[in-house]
Amino acid sequence: AKVRPVDPEAYDAYLKGRFYWSKFTGEDYQTSIEFFQKAIDKDPTYAPAYAGLAHAYRALAFEGLIPPGEGLPRAESATRKAQALDDTLSEVHFAVGVNRMARWDHASCLDELRKALASSPHDALIRRFYAQAFSRLGRWEEAIAEGKRAHDLDPLSVETNRALGSIFYFAGRYEEAIDQYRKTIELDPKDARLYDFLADVYARNRMYPEAIAAQQKYLSLSGDEEAAEELGRDFASSGYPAAMEALYRKTLAFLEEAAKYAYVSSVHFAVLHAKLGQNDKAFAWLEKAFQERQPWLGQLRVDPQFEPLRSDPRFADLIARVEQVGRSTASRNR
């Protein structure tokens, strides 16, 4: 097949955009958008740049950094433009796939990611998202196998290592999750998020002193040394449940204040209320998340953060509604 020539400056901007997007932080997503847009300005017919733009907006919405009603339509618009320009590219199938994941359409997501991998089987990033799609469905054998393949393709990537740890954690394989998170921390000891993830799995494995130590490290690296010290004192005097309850309440108060000035995802509030045993408030926020079509709800069935709510009939009802929306979306995408 004849390869269409690409403007060198557009290609350079695209590569920089993908680099910043793959760092997976809010500031870097915004930087990636600037580079993807620069690539589009240099070559408006360059499909991968639109696919990259779709990734960035979808990621901002998925991680609760902008409202879904703002990020997902922009992601969809960029994806449609990429498809119109060249729907044979793996980059385009990749963007379509993860956008459909964000819309809770896991069946079409898997189909598109398979198409992307058919032409780019050694792309660790695509394979990592493929693993995560299986994880959302609770298909653990396939999720772990694909997560390991992604890791083998890019063993020094912090995000690829972290994702494999999360799959182990969601699958209930705590010892393997702990081992994987520790290996990930070795790659970037200053990444605060990694200690937060490790603290969760330590707690699930009833390793409470280790959980507190990891949580303190997370708080310290996040710039809140006072909270880290207070958590240690609370644990020493009152034990793990009371110490964490105090932390959850402080975090909730902080988010409530922050929400007066900026967007805060309803999922964050739902998680904190669930951890505090405030189920009615948790479900109220989850209903808001459902109405907003928060992408995070696509993993509601398997996310350990919502374990306190699983015995409530409202939880099964919410899962059923999320999955019905996903099926309806899949039907429209056929």
Side-chain angles (χ1 to χ4, degrees), residues 11 25 29 42-43 47 49 87 99 125 145 163-164 200 202 237 240 253 288 308 333:
Y11 183 64
T25 73
Y29 291 144
K42 293 299 297 183
D43 185 353
D87 64 358
N99 278 349
L125 194 57
L164 180 56
D200 285 343
Y202 273 144
S237 63
Y240 182 81
K288 188 173 189 297
N333 287 330

Side-chain angles (χ1 to χ4, degrees), residues 17-321:
R18 180 149 169 159
F19 168 77
Y20 280 103
W21 169 65
S22 64
K23 294 177 76 171
F24 302 103
T25 73
E27 182 178 351
D28 289 317
Y29 291 144
Q30 295 292 353
T31 302
S32 77
I33 287 171
E34 295 173 11
F35 279 111
F36 288 134
Q37 189 59 56
K38 181 178 179 181
I40 291 167
D41 292 342
K42 293 299 297 183
D43 185 353
T45 67
Y46 189 41
Y50 290 96
L53 197 62
H55 280 305
Y57 280 119
R58 186 268 317 157
L60 285 168
F62 179 82
E63 296 189 19
L65 299 171
I66 60 175
E70 177 184 338
L72 294 185
R74 292 183 179 184
E76 293 283 357
S77 176
T79 301
R80 285 195 296 272
K81 182 65 175 178
Q83 287 179 292
L85 288 168
D86 192 342
D87 64 358
T88 68
L89 296 176
S90 64
E91 295 97 324
V92 175
H93 286 299
F94 182 26
V96 173
V98 293
N99 278 349
R100 291 183 179 175
M101 181 192 293
R103 295 289 191 182
W104 310 337
D105 173 8
H106 296 112
S108 295
C109 165
L110 285 170
D111 288 342
E112 290 296 328
L113 293 182
R114 288 188 190 103
K115 292 174 185 176
L117 287 169
S119 54
S120 298
H122 303 300
D123 189 313
L125 194 57
I126 299 174
R127 197 161 291 279
R128 174 165 71 78
F129 276 86
Y130 191 46
Q132 290 173 316
F134 282 123
S135 175
R136 286 182 155 220
L137 292 168
R139 293 167 59 173
W140 302 122
E141 184 176 339
E142 293 152 300
I144 291 169
E146 293 299 333
K148 288 181 176 179
R149 290 189 183 105
H151 174 270
D152 290 344
L153 288 166
D154 193 2
L156 299 182
S157 163
V158 170
E159 283 301 314
T160 299
N161 277 272
R162 181 207 58 77
L164 180 56
S166 294
I167 291 170
F168 282 133
Y169 175 36
F170 278 32
R173 294 168 61 161
Y174 302 137
E175 294 294 341
E176 289 165 286
I178 290 169
D179 181 60
Q180 186 60 43
Y181 280 142
R182 285 172 173 166
K183 290 177 180 177
T184 309
I185 287 171
E186 289 177 5
L187 294 173
D188 189 355
K190 294 184 178 180
D191 189 331
R193 303 168 307 150
L194 302 178
Y195 297 93
D196 193 32
F197 300 141
L198 181 58
D200 285 343
V201 70
Y202 273 144
R204 185 69 60 173
N205 209 36
R206 301 180 183 276
M207 300 169 66
Y208 299 123
E210 292 86 350
I212 290 295
Q215 195 68 49
Q216 287 180 289
K217 187 70 173 179
Y218 163 72
L219 292 168
S220 295
L221 288 172
S222 298
D224 199 343
E225 190 63 46
E226 181 180 344
E229 293 174 359
E230 189 168 358
L231 178 64
R233 290 194 298 270
D234 288 344
F235 176 62
S237 63
S238 305
Y240 182 81
M244 292 305 296
E245 179 179 341
L247 179 62
Y248 297 147
R249 291 188 183 280
K250 289 168 190 168
T251 304
L252 183 59
F254 173 82
L255 291 183
E256 288 171 343
E257 184 65 22
K260 296 176 183 178
Y261 308 100
Y263 174 72
V264 178
S265 172
S266 50
V267 174
H268 296 329
F269 289 108
V271 168
L272 286 166
H273 283 298
K275 289 181 175 180
L276 287 167
Q278 300 169 349
N279 288 13
D280 288 345
K281 290 182 179 180
F283 278 110
W285 281 105
L286 285 174
E287 185 61 34
K288 188 173 189 297
F290 177 80
Q291 297 301 327
E292 293 173 342
R293 296 300 190 262
Q294 286 281 354
W296 196 269
L297 293 191
Q299 64 186 37
L300 191 63
R301 179 179 287 277
V302 298
D303 193 333
Q305 295 181 104
F306 296 108
E307 190 66 35
L309 306 180
R310 293 192 187 280
S311 61
D312 192 307
R314 290 174 291 182
F315 193 76
D317 174 71
L318 180 58
I319 288 176
R321 287 188 287 139

